[in-house]
Amino acid sequence: MNSRRDFLQKLGVSALALHLAPLSGFASCTDDRNKAYDGPVLRVAIMGLGSYGTRVAEAMQSCTKAKLVGVISGTPSKVKDWQSKFKIPEKNCYNYENFDNIKNNPDIDAVYVITPNGLHHDQVIRVAKAGKHAICEKPMSVNAQQGQEMVDACKKANVKLLVGYRMHFEPKTLEVIRMRKAGEFGKIMFFQGQCGFKIGDPTQWRLNKQLAGGGAMMDIGIYAINGSRYMIGEEPVWVTAQETKTDTVKFKEGVDETIQFQFGFPSGAVASCLSTYNMNNLDRFFLDGEKGFAELQPSTGYGPIQGRTHKGELNQPVTTHQTVQMDEMAGIIFSNNQPVVPVNGEEAVKDLKIIDAIYLAVKTGKKVDISL
Ligand code: NDP
């Protein structure tokens, strides 16, 4: 595990890859997965054939309601590899210059944007203008204004905008949410979200302000932000935050290394979170209520997610997150299904508003009020 971890960190992939699960072979949490499916299949083109794009593509091989049918890439050799590996026809292959032509391709329903964060805004807007549904990786963009522009563009084009919040379909996460809604934890008092890993290669895009939009907060801290919202079940009304930077060469101006941040919620509940690119072993959520608690650790890795509550171990099935996510997204796009926790652009804009507020709180040293 250690050598694989070192390898991944040198490559610069996210800590999420540290909790490696096989890409397929797990049963999905969707009840009807084993039944024959004769509804519409979401035909997806992936944009950005990198580390996570590859994981999604492989997981999609086990989907029943979604299918990888196209690619958009700046690297012709990858396109060739993907064509043979995933049986993608030449007519469904595009690059960043010509992908607007996808509007004339009736065999593609949606484009899944899995490129560096700073590119999502323009790419999603082009996808919307091409009349295709957009699925976009987190963070949806690098600030709330850009995020809102993406939401508006997709509305105007009458296409859906969904974001790759795969934890919103994860069975143990959903069980904690169910228990919280059923009052099994009593009044919620406190959430703790710890998300981080030690990042490798200093030349990677994740440490480039232009492409990443920030640092650890954009990449991994967002899990604690989003998690605090779905675990507590409320939207924060204030934010405080403090930054620590030990390496100003690796983490340049605008690229955060470690930020601790706190939220207050309307009920009086509070959250205390840590986002870092300089510590390992941080993938933990803890929710505390007057009658009980839930702990997920790992909480947002690729799985298996593990957890317990005051009632005992959580033993919901282990899933391949990306397989379930893509099948569920097909249902959202075709049947207007409503997931327990939304995965739409509006949901992502809320996280981006919170990120904006965290950066402002770091800069000013002051408590920042927010309204979502
Ligand atoms: P990678 O660097 O592995 O891949 C990004 C790909 O984007 C590249 O391989 C390249 O593909 C394309 N690309 C286009 N322009 C650029 C550019 N200027 N610089 C670098 N790459 C470029 O990144 P990841 O796959 O790890 O991350 C991509 C997105 O996915 C990010 O937004 C990240 O936050 C998100 N992500 C989400 C995860 C999740 O669990 N939901 C986990 C990991 C990442 P090509 O050569 O085909 O053009």
Side-chain angles (χ1 to χ4, degrees):
M1 183 69 176
N2 271 345
S3 60
R4 174 141 188 112
R5 172 172 298 193
D6 292 346
F7 173 69
L8 291 169
Q9 285 169 5
K10 280 190 189 114
L11 278 181
V13 299
S14 160
L16 298 169
L18 301 181
H19 304 286
L20 290 168
L23 290 179
S24 58
F26 286 119
S28 150
C29 69
T30 308
D31 290 341
D32 58 1
R33 275 189 67 75
N34 293 327
K35 292 185 199 152
Y37 175 72
D38 60 2
V41 170
L42 184 69
R43 298 162 305 170
V44 178
I46 289 183
M47 181 187 298
L49 315 183
S51 161
Y52 195 63
T54 302
R55 181 170 286 269
V56 171
E58 292 183 355
M60 283 185 73
Q61 291 182 305
S62 305
C63 283
T64 50
K65 299 176 184 167
K67 186 172 188 313
L68 174 64
V69 298
V71 292
I72 298 148
S73 170
T75 314
S77 59
K78 289 188 200 167
V79 174
K80 280 265 160 306
D81 289 349
W82 279 50
Q83 277 194 266
S84 68
K85 186 168 179 193
F86 301 111
K87 314 237 172 333
I88 294 167
E90 186 70 32
K91 67 175 184 59
N92 289 357
C93 298
Y94 297 86
N95 59 41
Y96 298 111
E97 284 73 47
N98 69 13
F99 78 81
D100 309 272
N101 295 337
I102 217 163
K103 67 172 179 288
N104 303 318
N105 190 332
D107 299 329
I108 294 174
D109 303 307
V111 175
Y112 193 163
V113 175
I114 317 186
T115 54
N117 314 335
L119 307 177
H120 295 173
H121 169 264
D122 291 5
Q123 290 169 339
V124 162
I125 290 175
R126 282 172 67 186
V127 168
K129 285 188 175 153
K132 302 297 176 183
H133 300 294
I135 304 172
C136 182
E137 256 320 309
K138 46 57 59 178
M140 189 173 81
S141 66
V142 298
N143 58 51
Q145 188 191 323
Q146 278 196 0
Q148 190 58 50
E149 286 166 9
M150 294 158 81
V151 168
D152 294 344
C154 289
K155 259 199 193 120
K156 190 168 167 206
N158 202 22
V159 295
K160 288 224 161 70
L161 171 56
L162 305 180
V163 179
Y165 286 122
R166 60 189 163 75
M167 302 317 298
H168 295 198
F169 305 107
E170 194 284 316
K172 293 184 181 74
T173 304
L174 290 172
E175 172 60 8
V176 173
I177 293 169
R178 186 203 65 73
M179 288 177 71
R180 188 250 302 150
K181 284 184 172 170
E184 294 179 33
F185 303 121
K187 180 174 157 50
I188 300 296
M189 305 299 292
F190 178 66
F191 172 79
Q192 192 174 36
Q194 298 160 335
C195 299
F197 66 101
K198 227 169 163 46
I199 198 160
D201 178 8
T203 64
Q204 65 186 286
W205 68 259
R206 281 186 166 81
L207 296 173
N208 172 326
K209 162 88 173 148
Q210 196 78 13
L211 287 170
M217 183 62 63
M218 286 287 171
D219 190 36
I220 192 86
I222 190 169
Y223 285 92
I225 294 170
N226 192 249
S228 72
R229 296 174 48 229
Y230 62 68
M231 295 286 276
I232 292 183
E234 295 178 54
E235 302 299 356
V237 289
W238 58 255
V239 172
T240 49
Q242 310 80 37
E243 180 172 14
T244 314
K245 198 176 275 200
T246 63
D247 185 343
T248 51
V249 178
K250 190 168 185 181
F251 304 102
K252 300 199 170 52
E253 180 70 32
V255 179
D256 48 286
E257 175 187 320
T258 300
I259 296 180
Q260 297 184 68
F261 54 99
Q262 304 78 34
F263 299 146
F265 294 85
S267 65
V270 288
S272 172
C273 302
L274 175 70
S275 157
T276 184
Y277 265 162
N278 198 26
M279 297 171 217
N280 282 329
N281 313 308
L282 289 172
D283 182 4
R284 179 175 174 270
F285 284 0
F286 182 78
L287 184 70
D288 195 35
E290 280 186 343
K291 291 203 287 195
F293 72 90
E295 182 182 45
L296 296 172
Q297 184 179 25
S299 56
T300 65
Y302 296 139
I305 301 300
Q306 292 179 344
R308 65 193 177 108
T309 73
H310 58 292
K311 294 186 172 168
E313 291 293 313
L314 291 168
N315 51 19
Q316 284 66 32
V318 172
T319 60
T320 301
H321 301 171
Q322 298 80 7
T323 307
V324 181
Q325 174 198 312
M326 294 310 290
D327 274 343
E328 295 293 330
M329 285 184 166
I332 293 169
I333 288 174
F334 288 132
S335 313
N336 220 12
N337 290 353
Q338 301 296 319
V340 173
V341 187
V343 289
N344 53 27
E346 287 83 353
E347 167 80 3
V349 170
K350 289 180 184 173
D351 283 343
L352 292 168
K353 281 186 177 166
I354 295 172
I355 291 178
D356 287 351
I358 288 172
Y359 284 144
L360 183 62
V362 163
K363 203 167 145 194
T364 61
K366 297 208 167 110
K367 187 174 183 178
V368 175
D369 290 327
I370 43 176
S371 126
L372 299 177

